[in-house]
Amino acid sequence: MTFDRALIATFVSSITIVYTIMILIYAMQSFIPLGYSSPVMMLRRFLDETVAPFLLVFRRFIRPIGPLDLSAMVALFVLWIGSGIVQGLIAG
């Protein structure tokens, strides 16, 4: 089975979309009361382990403005720009 560059670039794009959705869910969970059922707690724990370390990098430099935390928005921009650069390098 051969992998061409376009397929790998598409895979990077897909991973970026999935991680973007995860960041958005992580950011929205603070605004929406989800309860404490077992599946919800598993989702929260998973997002804490996968998304929070990435956001902590940006929270060191960007302090919240009142209740508004802009680190998720900046993280998304950096993720998209980085993904575009990587896809461009892969695609050639």
Side-chain angles (χ1 to χ4, degrees):
M1 185 168 152
T2 63
F3 291 102
D4 61 345
R5 291 176 172 225
L7 181 64
I8 296 172
T10 303
F11 178 73
V12 170
S13 174
S14 299
I15 294 296
T16 302
I17 292 169
V18 169
Y19 205 69
T20 297
I21 292 169
M22 290 170 57
I23 291 173
L24 292 174
I25 291 171
Y26 183 81
M28 294 304 288
Q29 77 178 353
S30 63
F31 295 110
I32 301 170
L34 297 174
Y36 296 100
S37 65
S38 180
V40 171
M41 293 307 292
M42 288 175 54
L43 175 66
R44 285 183 178 179
R45 189 175 312 117
F46 175 73
L47 291 174
D48 281 339
E49 292 173 359
T50 56
V51 174
F54 183 61
L55 293 180
L56 284 176
V57 173
F58 300 99
R59 286 185 179 146
R60 290 182 190 153
F61 304 107
I62 304 168
R63 298 290 177 207
I65 301 171
L68 187 61
D69 185 12
L70 300 176
S71 62
M73 185 170 37
V74 174
L76 285 173
F77 286 131
V78 170
L79 177 66
W80 296 335
I81 291 169
S83 174
I85 291 170
V86 169
Q87 289 177 43
L89 291 172
I90 291 172

